[in-house]
Coordinates of all heavy atoms in Angstrom, one line a residue:
M1 N 1.4 3.8 -44.6 CA 2.1 4.9 -43.9 C 3.0 4.2 -42.9 O 2.6 3.4 -42.1 CB 1.0 5.8 -43.2 CG 1.7 7.0 -42.6 SD 0.4 8.1 -41.9 CE 0.6 9.4 -42.9
P2 N 4.3 4.6 -43.0 CA 5.3 4.0 -42.1 C 5.1 4.5 -40.6 O 4.7 5.6 -40.4 CB 6.7 4.4 -42.6 CG 6.4 5.7 -43.4 CD 4.9 5.6 -43.9
K3 N 5.4 3.6 -39.7 CA 5.4 4.0 -38.3 C 6.6 4.8 -37.9 O 7.7 4.4 -38.3 CB 5.3 2.7 -37.4 CG 4.0 2.0 -37.5 CD 4.1 0.8 -36.5 CE 2.7 0.2 -36.5 NZ 2.7 -0.9 -35.5
H4 N 6.4 5.8 -37.2 CA 7.5 6.6 -36.7 C 7.9 6.1 -35.4 O 7.1 5.8 -34.5 CB 7.1 8.1 -36.5 CG 6.7 8.8 -37.8 ND1 7.6 9.0 -38.8 CD2 5.5 9.2 -38.3 CE1 7.0 9.6 -39.8 NE2 5.8 9.7 -39.6
K5 N 9.2 5.9 -35.2 CA 9.7 5.4 -34.0 C 9.8 6.5 -32.9 O 10.4 7.5 -33.2 CB 11.1 4.8 -34.2 CG 11.1 3.3 -34.3 CD 12.5 2.8 -34.1 CE 12.3 1.5 -33.3 NZ 13.5 0.8 -33.2
H6 N 9.1 6.3 -31.8 CA 9.1 7.2 -30.7 C 10.4 6.9 -29.9 O 10.7 5.7 -29.7 CB 7.8 7.1 -30.0 CG 7.6 8.2 -29.0 ND1 8.1 8.2 -27.7 CD2 7.1 9.4 -29.2 CE1 7.8 9.3 -27.1 NE2 7.1 10.1 -28.0
P7 N 11.0 7.9 -29.3 CA 12.2 7.6 -28.5 C 12.0 6.7 -27.3 O 12.9 5.9 -26.9 CB 12.7 8.9 -28.0 CG 11.9 10.0 -28.7 CD 10.8 9.3 -29.4
T8 N 10.8 6.6 -26.8 CA 10.5 5.8 -25.6 C 10.4 4.3 -26.0 O 10.3 3.4 -25.2 CB 9.3 6.2 -24.9 OG1 8.2 6.2 -25.8 CG2 9.4 7.6 -24.2
N9 N 10.3 4.0 -27.3 CA 10.3 2.6 -27.8 C 11.6 1.9 -27.5 O 11.7 0.7 -27.5 CB 9.9 2.5 -29.2 CG 8.4 2.9 -29.5 OD1 7.7 3.0 -28.5 ND2 8.1 3.2 -30.7
N10 N 12.7 2.6 -27.4 CA 14.0 2.1 -27.1 C 14.0 1.6 -25.7 O 13.8 2.4 -24.8 CB 15.0 3.1 -27.4 CG 16.4 2.6 -27.3 OD1 16.6 1.5 -26.7 ND2 17.4 3.3 -27.8
K11 N 14.3 0.4 -25.4 CA 14.3 -0.2 -24.0 C 15.3 0.6 -23.1 O 15.0 0.9 -22.0 CB 14.7 -1.6 -24.0 CG 13.6 -2.5 -24.5 CD 14.0 -3.9 -24.5 CE 12.9 -4.8 -25.1 NZ 13.3 -6.2 -25.0
Q12 N 16.5 0.9 -23.6 CA 17.4 1.6 -22.8 C 16.9 3.0 -22.4 O 17.1 3.4 -21.2 CB 18.8 1.7 -23.5 CG 19.9 2.2 -22.6 CD 21.2 2.1 -23.3 OE1 21.3 2.0 -24.5 NE2 22.3 2.1 -22.6
T13 N 16.3 3.7 -23.3 CA 15.8 5.0 -23.0 C 14.6 4.9 -22.0 O 14.5 5.8 -21.2 CB 15.3 5.7 -24.3 OG1 16.3 5.7 -25.3 CG2 14.8 7.1 -24.1
F14 N 13.9 3.9 -22.1 CA 12.7 3.7 -21.2 C 13.2 3.3 -19.8 O 12.7 3.9 -18.8 CB 11.8 2.6 -21.7 CG 10.6 2.4 -20.9 CD1 9.5 3.2 -20.9 CD2 10.6 1.3 -20.0 CE1 8.4 3.0 -20.0 CE2 9.5 1.0 -19.2 CZ 8.4 1.9 -19.2
F15 N 14.1 2.4 -19.7 CA 14.5 1.9 -18.3 C 15.6 2.7 -17.6 O 15.7 2.5 -16.4 CB 15.0 0.4 -18.5 CG 13.9 -0.5 -18.7 CD1 13.7 -1.1 -19.9 CD2 13.0 -0.8 -17.6 CE1 12.6 -2.0 -20.1 CE2 11.9 -1.7 -17.8 CZ 11.8 -2.3 -19.0
Q16 N 16.3 3.6 -18.3 CA 17.3 4.4 -17.6 C 16.8 5.2 -16.5 O 17.3 5.2 -15.4 CB 18.1 5.2 -18.6 CG 19.3 5.9 -18.0 CD 20.3 5.0 -17.4 OE1 20.6 3.9 -17.9 NE2 20.8 5.4 -16.2
P17 N 15.7 6.0 -16.7 CA 15.1 6.8 -15.6 C 14.6 5.9 -14.4 O 14.8 6.2 -13.2 CB 14.0 7.6 -16.2 CG 14.2 7.5 -17.6 CD 15.0 6.3 -17.9
L18 N 14.1 4.8 -14.8 CA 13.6 3.8 -13.7 C 14.8 3.3 -12.9 O 14.7 3.3 -11.7 CB 12.9 2.6 -14.4 CG 12.4 1.6 -13.5 CD1 11.3 2.1 -12.6 CD2 11.9 0.4 -14.4
K19 N 15.9 3.0 -13.5 CA 17.1 2.5 -12.8 C 17.6 3.6 -11.9 O 18.0 3.4 -10.8 CB 18.1 2.1 -13.8 CG 19.4 1.5 -13.2 CD 20.4 1.1 -14.2 CE 21.7 0.6 -13.6 NZ 22.7 0.3 -14.6
T20 N 17.6 4.8 -12.4 CA 18.1 6.0 -11.6 C 17.2 6.2 -10.4 O 17.7 6.4 -9.3 CB 18.1 7.3 -12.5 OG1 18.9 7.0 -13.6 CG2 18.6 8.5 -11.7
Q21 N 15.9 6.1 -10.5 CA 15.0 6.3 -9.4 C 15.2 5.1 -8.4 O 15.1 5.4 -7.2 CB 13.6 6.3 -9.9 CG 13.2 7.6 -10.6 CD 13.4 8.8 -9.7 OE1 13.1 8.8 -8.5 NE2 14.0 9.9 -10.3
I22 N 15.3 3.9 -8.8 CA 15.5 2.8 -7.9 C 16.8 2.9 -7.1 O 16.9 2.6 -5.9 CB 15.5 1.5 -8.7 CG1 14.1 1.2 -9.2 CG2 16.0 0.3 -7.9 CD1 13.9 -0.1 -10.0
Q23 N 17.8 3.5 -7.7 CA 19.1 3.7 -7.0 C 19.0 4.7 -5.9 O 19.7 4.7 -5.0 CB 20.2 4.1 -8.0 CG 20.6 2.9 -8.9 CD 21.6 3.3 -10.0 OE1 21.7 4.5 -10.3 NE2 22.3 2.3 -10.6
K24 N 18.0 5.7 -6.1 CA 17.8 6.7 -5.1 C 17.1 6.2 -3.9 O 17.1 6.9 -2.8 CB 17.0 7.9 -5.7 CG 17.8 8.7 -6.7 CD 16.9 9.8 -7.3 CE 17.6 10.6 -8.3 NZ 16.7 11.6 -8.9
T25 N 16.4 5.1 -3.9 CA 15.6 4.6 -2.8 C 16.6 4.0 -1.7 O 17.6 3.5 -2.0 CB 14.7 3.5 -3.2 OG1 15.4 2.4 -3.8 CG2 13.7 4.0 -4.2
T26 N 16.1 4.1 -0.5 CA 16.9 3.6 0.6 C 15.9 2.8 1.6 O 14.7 3.1 1.6 CB 17.5 4.8 1.5 OG1 16.4 5.6 2.0 CG2 18.5 5.6 0.7
S27 N 16.5 1.9 2.3 CA 15.8 1.2 3.3 C 15.6 2.0 4.5 O 16.5 2.8 4.9 CB 16.5 -0.1 3.6 OG 16.6 -1.0 2.5
P28 N 14.6 1.8 5.3 CA 14.4 2.5 6.5 C 15.5 2.1 7.6 O 15.9 1.0 7.6 CB 13.0 2.2 7.0 CG 12.7 0.9 6.3 CD 13.4 0.9 5.1
T29 N 15.8 3.1 8.4 CA 16.8 2.7 9.5 C 16.0 2.0 10.6 O 14.8 1.9 10.6 CB 17.4 4.0 10.1 OG1 16.3 4.8 10.7 CG2 18.1 4.9 9.1
K30 N 16.8 1.4 11.5 CA 16.1 0.7 12.6 C 15.2 1.6 13.4 O 14.1 1.2 13.8 CB 17.2 0.1 13.6 CG 17.9 -1.1 13.0 CD 18.8 -1.7 14.0 CE 19.5 -3.0 13.4 NZ 20.3 -3.6 14.4
Q31 N 15.6 2.8 13.6 CA 14.8 3.8 14.4 C 13.5 4.1 13.6 O 12.4 4.1 14.2 CB 15.5 5.1 14.7 CG 16.6 5.0 15.6 CD 17.9 4.5 14.9 OE1 18.1 4.5 13.7 NE2 18.9 4.1 15.7
E32 N 13.6 4.3 12.3 CA 12.4 4.5 11.5 C 11.5 3.3 11.5 O 10.2 3.5 11.6 CB 12.8 4.9 10.1 CG 13.4 6.2 9.9 CD 13.9 6.5 8.5 OE1 14.3 5.5 7.8 OE2 13.9 7.6 8.1
L33 N 12.0 2.2 11.4 CA 11.2 0.9 11.3 C 10.5 0.7 12.7 O 9.3 0.4 12.7 CB 12.2 -0.3 11.0 CG 11.5 -1.5 10.6 CD1 10.7 -1.4 9.4 CD2 12.6 -2.6 10.4
F34 N 11.2 1.0 13.8 CA 10.6 0.9 15.1 C 9.4 1.9 15.2 O 8.3 1.6 15.7 CB 11.6 1.1 16.1 CG 11.1 0.9 17.5 CD1 10.8 -0.4 18.0 CD2 10.9 2.0 18.4 CE1 10.4 -0.5 19.3 CE2 10.4 1.8 19.6 CZ 10.2 0.6 20.1
K35 N 9.7 3.1 14.8 CA 8.7 4.2 14.8 C 7.4 3.8 14.0 O 6.3 4.0 14.5 CB 9.3 5.5 14.3 CG 8.4 6.7 14.3 CD 9.1 7.9 13.7 CE 8.2 8.8 13.0 NZ 8.9 9.8 12.3
Y36 N 7.6 3.3 12.8 CA 6.5 3.0 11.9 C 5.7 1.8 12.5 O 4.5 1.7 12.4 CB 7.0 2.7 10.5 CG 7.7 3.8 9.8 CD1 8.7 3.6 8.9 CD2 7.3 5.1 10.1 CE1 9.3 4.6 8.3 CE2 7.9 6.2 9.4 CZ 8.9 5.9 8.5 OH 9.5 7.0 7.9
T37 N 6.4 0.9 13.2 CA 5.8 -0.3 13.8 C 4.9 0.2 15.0 O 3.8 -0.3 15.1 CB 6.8 -1.3 14.2 OG1 7.6 -1.7 13.1 CG2 6.2 -2.5 14.9
L38 N 5.5 1.1 15.7 CA 4.7 1.7 16.9 C 3.4 2.4 16.4 O 2.5 2.5 17.1 CB 5.5 2.6 17.7 CG 6.6 1.9 18.6 CD1 7.4 3.0 19.4 CD2 5.9 1.0 19.6
I39 N 3.5 2.9 15.2 CA 2.3 3.6 14.7 C 1.3 2.6 14.1 O 0.1 2.6 14.3 CB 2.7 4.6 13.6 CG1 3.5 5.8 14.2 CG2 1.5 5.1 12.8 CD1 4.1 6.7 13.2
L40 N 1.9 1.6 13.4 CA 1.0 0.6 12.8 C 0.2 -0.3 13.7 O -0.9 -0.6 13.5 CB 1.9 -0.3 11.9 CG 1.2 -1.5 11.2 CD1 0.4 -1.0 10.0 CD2 2.2 -2.5 10.8
L41 N 0.9 -0.8 14.8 CA 0.2 -1.7 15.7 C -1.0 -1.2 16.4 O -2.1 -1.8 16.3 CB 1.2 -2.3 16.7 CG 2.3 -3.2 16.1 CD1 3.3 -3.7 17.2 CD2 1.7 -4.4 15.5
P42 N -1.0 0.0 17.0 CA -2.2 0.5 17.6 C -3.3 0.8 16.5 O -4.5 0.6 16.8 CB -1.8 1.8 18.3 CG -0.3 1.8 18.4 CD 0.2 0.8 17.3
T43 N -2.9 1.2 15.4 CA -3.8 1.5 14.3 C -4.5 0.2 13.9 O -5.7 0.1 13.7 CB -3.1 2.1 13.1 OG1 -2.5 3.3 13.5 CG2 -4.1 2.4 12.0
L44 N -3.7 -0.9 13.7 CA -4.2 -2.2 13.4 C -5.2 -2.7 14.4 O -6.3 -3.2 14.1 CB -3.1 -3.1 13.2 CG -3.4 -4.6 12.8 CD1 -4.0 -4.6 11.4 CD2 -2.2 -5.4 12.8
I45 N -4.8 -2.6 15.7 CA -5.7 -3.0 16.8 C -7.0 -2.3 16.8 O -8.0 -2.8 17.0 CB -4.9 -2.9 18.1 CG1 -3.8 -4.0 18.2 CG2 -5.8 -3.1 19.3 CD1 -2.8 -3.8 19.3
F46 N -6.9 -1.0 16.6 CA -8.1 -0.1 16.6 C -9.1 -0.6 15.5 O -10.3 -0.8 15.8 CB -7.7 1.3 16.3 CG -8.9 2.2 16.0 CD1 -9.8 2.6 17.0 CD2 -9.2 2.5 14.7 CE1 -10.9 3.4 16.8 CE2 -10.4 3.3 14.4 CZ -11.2 3.7 15.5
F47 N -8.6 -0.9 14.3 CA -9.5 -1.3 13.2 C -10.0 -2.7 13.4 O -11.1 -3.0 13.1 CB -8.8 -1.1 11.9 CG -8.8 0.3 11.4 CD1 -7.7 1.1 11.4 CD2 -10.0 0.8 10.9 CE1 -7.8 2.4 11.0 CE2 -10.1 2.1 10.4 CZ -9.0 2.9 10.5
I48 N -9.2 -3.6 14.0 CA -9.7 -4.9 14.3 C -10.8 -4.8 15.3 O -11.9 -5.4 15.1 CB -8.5 -5.8 14.9 CG1 -7.5 -6.1 13.8 CG2 -9.1 -7.0 15.6 CD1 -6.3 -6.8 14.3
V49 N -10.7 -4.1 16.4 CA -11.8 -3.9 17.4 C -13.0 -3.2 16.8 O -14.1 -3.6 17.0 CB -11.2 -3.2 18.6 CG1 -12.3 -2.8 19.6 CG2 -10.2 -4.0 19.3
F50 N -12.7 -2.2 16.0 CA -13.8 -1.4 15.4 C -14.7 -2.3 14.5 O -15.9 -2.3 14.6 CB -13.2 -0.3 14.6 CG -14.2 0.5 13.8 CD1 -15.0 1.4 14.5 CD2 -14.4 0.4 12.4 CE1 -16.0 2.2 13.8 CE2 -15.3 1.1 11.7 CZ -16.1 2.0 12.4
F51 N -14.1 -3.1 13.6 CA -14.8 -3.9 12.7 C -15.4 -5.1 13.4 O -16.5 -5.6 13.1 CB -14.0 -4.4 11.5 CG -13.8 -3.2 10.5 CD1 -12.6 -2.6 10.4 CD2 -14.9 -2.8 9.8 CE1 -12.4 -1.6 9.5 CE2 -14.7 -1.7 8.9 CZ -13.5 -1.1 8.7
W52 N -14.8 -5.6 14.5 CA -15.4 -6.7 15.2 C -16.6 -6.2 15.9 O -17.6 -6.9 15.9 CB -14.3 -7.2 16.3 CG -14.9 -8.3 17.1 CD1 -15.0 -9.6 16.8 CD2 -15.3 -8.2 18.5 NE1 -15.6 -10.3 17.8 CE2 -15.8 -9.4 18.9 CE3 -15.4 -7.1 19.3 CZ2 -16.3 -9.7 20.1 CZ3 -15.9 -7.3 20.6 CH2 -16.3 -8.6 21.0
L53 N -16.6 -5.0 16.5 CA -17.8 -4.4 17.1 C -18.9 -4.1 16.2 O -20.1 -4.2 16.5 CB -17.4 -3.1 17.9 CG -16.6 -3.3 19.2 CD1 -16.1 -2.0 19.7 CD2 -17.4 -4.1 20.2
L54 N -18.5 -3.8 15.0 CA -19.6 -3.7 13.9 C -20.2 -5.0 13.5 O -21.4 -5.1 13.2 CB -19.0 -3.0 12.7 CG -18.8 -1.5 12.8 CD1 -18.2 -1.0 11.5 CD2 -20.1 -0.8 13.0
D55 N -19.3 -6.0 13.5 CA -19.7 -7.3 13.0 C -20.6 -8.1 14.0 O -21.4 -8.9 13.6 CB -18.5 -8.1 12.6 CG -18.8 -9.4 11.8 OD1 -19.6 -9.3 10.9 OD2 -18.3 -10.4 12.2
V56 N -20.3 -8.0 15.2 CA -21.0 -8.8 16.3 C -22.5 -8.6 16.3 O -23.2 -9.6 16.3 CB -20.4 -8.5 17.7 CG1 -21.2 -9.0 18.8 CG2 -19.0 -9.0 17.7
P57 N -23.1 -7.4 16.2 CA -24.5 -7.2 16.3 C -25.3 -7.5 15.0 O -26.5 -7.7 15.0 CB -24.7 -5.8 16.7 CG -23.5 -5.1 16.3 CD -22.4 -6.1 16.3
I58 N -24.6 -7.6 13.9 CA -25.2 -7.8 12.6 C -26.0 -9.1 12.5 O -27.2 -9.0 12.1 CB -24.2 -7.6 11.4 CG1 -23.8 -6.2 11.3 CG2 -24.8 -8.2 10.1 CD1 -22.7 -5.9 10.3
P59 N -25.5 -10.2 12.9 CA -26.4 -11.4 12.9 C -27.6 -11.3 13.8 O -28.7 -11.8 13.4 CB -25.4 -12.5 13.4 CG -24.1 -12.0 13.2 CD -24.1 -10.6 13.3
N60 N -27.5 -10.6 14.9 CA -28.7 -10.4 15.8 C -29.7 -9.5 15.1 O -30.9 -9.8 15.2 CB -28.3 -9.9 17.1 CG -27.5 -10.8 17.9 OD1 -27.6 -12.0 17.8 ND2 -26.6 -10.3 18.7
L61 N -29.2 -8.5 14.4 CA -30.2 -7.6 13.7 C -30.8 -8.4 12.6 O -32.0 -8.2 12.3 CB -29.4 -6.4 13.2 CG -29.0 -5.4 14.2 CD1 -28.1 -4.3 13.6 CD2 -30.2 -4.7 14.9
I62 N -30.1 -9.2 11.9 CA -30.7 -9.9 10.8 C -31.7 -10.9 11.3 O -32.8 -11.0 10.7 CB -29.6 -10.7 10.0 CG1 -28.7 -9.7 9.2 CG2 -30.2 -11.7 9.0 CD1 -27.5 -10.3 8.6
Q63 N -31.4 -11.5 12.4 CA -32.4 -12.5 13.0 C -33.6 -11.8 13.5 O -34.7 -12.3 13.4 CB -31.7 -13.3 14.1 CG -32.5 -14.4 14.6 CD -31.7 -15.2 15.6 OE1 -30.9 -14.7 16.3 NE2 -32.0 -16.5 15.7
L64 N -33.5 -10.6 14.0 CA -34.6 -9.8 14.5 C -35.6 -9.5 13.4 O -36.8 -9.5 13.6 CB -34.0 -8.5 15.1 CG -35.0 -7.6 15.8 CD1 -35.5 -8.3 17.1 CD2 -34.4 -6.3 16.1
F65 N -35.1 -9.2 12.2 CA -35.9 -8.7 11.1 C -36.4 -9.9 10.2 O -37.2 -9.6 9.3 CB -35.2 -7.6 10.3 CG -35.1 -6.3 11.0 CD1 -33.9 -5.9 11.5 CD2 -36.2 -5.6 11.2 CE1 -33.8 -4.7 12.1 CE2 -36.2 -4.4 11.9 CZ -34.9 -3.9 12.3
T66 N -35.9 -11.1 10.4 CA -36.4 -12.2 9.6 C -37.4 -13.1 10.3 O -37.6 -13.1 11.4 CB -35.2 -13.0 9.1 OG1 -34.5 -13.5 10.2 CG2 -34.3 -12.2 8.2

């Protein structure tokens, strides 16, 4: 039985929508980048401290039960 060619098998047909979407993307402005950085840094610090506080007592608990 012969294989039927599906239109998406054509490279140009497949990549054209991808190229169109990539052309629609934009880089963030300086203000947006600054805003996102101000959001990211406190969030990062929070999680660093949170996991550090979780991690510190674990060896003591393990030693207590062994």
Side-chain angles (χ1 to χ4, degrees):
M1 184 174 246
K3 288 185 176 181
H4 296 294
K5 260 194 140 171
H6 193 269
T8 58
N9 289 345
N10 184 347
K11 286 181 183 180
Q12 190 173 17
T13 305
F14 179 79
F15 285 108
Q16 186 59 40
L18 179 65
K19 183 179 176 185
T20 304
Q21 289 300 317
I22 288 176
Q23 289 173 344
K24 289 179 182 179
T25 61
T26 60
S27 296
T29 64
K30 284 185 179 183
Q31 291 85 12
E32 288 173 331
L33 195 59
F34 184 73
K35 176 181 150 188
Y36 299 148
T37 302
L38 284 178
I39 292 169
L40 176 78
L41 289 177
T43 305
L44 182 66
I45 291 168
F46 170 79
F47 279 103
I48 288 172
V49 170
F50 176 77
F51 285 109
W52 180 77
L53 287 172
L54 282 177
D55 191 49
V56 167
I58 289 176
N60 292 331
L61 287 172
I62 291 173
Q63 192 175 28
L64 184 72
F65 289 108
T66 59

